[in-house]
Amino acid sequence: MEAISLFKEFQRGYSDRTPRLTKIIDVFLLYVLLTGVLEFVYCAIVGTFPFNSFLAGFISTVGTFVLGVCLRLQVSPANHFKNISKERAFFDFIFANVVLHLTVFNFLG
């Protein structure tokens, strides 16, 4: 009973106090996390025959998750990055993702 009320309190506080942009980033992070878990489970069940492909995909999801968390920290209202605008943080996220995925595509070979 205590856990249910605690969860409802958390959900109410999250929906009331969290800005819409942060919620969108959180949904994206959840998607990337689930994609990484699905890749890992698939690898555990089926095998790692094209190991470079599995490794590239898994590195891509982990890297995208880390960059997404960095974006979330930068656009959060309670951040410590007061001199970085939301647009600059988003550009940094996009640029870092392009570099990450160019590296991942190179590793697929």
Side-chain angles (χ1 to χ4, degrees):
M1 215 43 139
E2 190 80 23
I4 294 172
S5 64
L6 183 64
F7 178 74
K8 287 183 180 181
E9 178 76 24
F10 173 76
Q11 185 181 15
R12 190 175 322 115
Y14 179 80
S15 63
D16 291 343
R17 294 186 211 120
T18 306
R20 185 169 184 238
L21 180 62
T22 306
K23 290 178 187 177
I24 292 171
I25 294 172
D26 288 343
V27 169
F28 175 70
L29 289 175
L30 180 65
Y31 166 73
V32 171
L33 179 73
L34 292 177
T35 302
V37 168
L38 186 67
E39 278 184 63
F40 188 77
V41 168
Y42 178 81
C43 175
I45 292 173
V46 176
T48 62
F49 168 59
F51 189 67
N52 281 358
S53 298
F54 162 71
L55 207 54
F58 196 70
I59 288 171
S60 173
T61 56
V62 170
T64 302
F65 185 81
V66 169
L67 292 173
V69 169
C70 292
L71 175 66
R72 187 187 192 284
L73 288 174
Q74 289 179 355
V75 300
S76 172
N79 66 6
H80 302 290
F81 304 99
K82 298 295 182 195
N83 56 350
I84 297 177
S85 67
K86 292 180 182 180
E87 291 82 10
R88 165 74 190 272
F90 186 69
F91 174 76
D92 289 346
F93 172 75
I94 295 296
F95 181 73
N97 261 307
V98 166
V99 171
L100 169 70
H101 287 92
L102 284 174
T103 305
V104 165
F105 289 148
N106 187 33
F107 191 69
L108 281 174

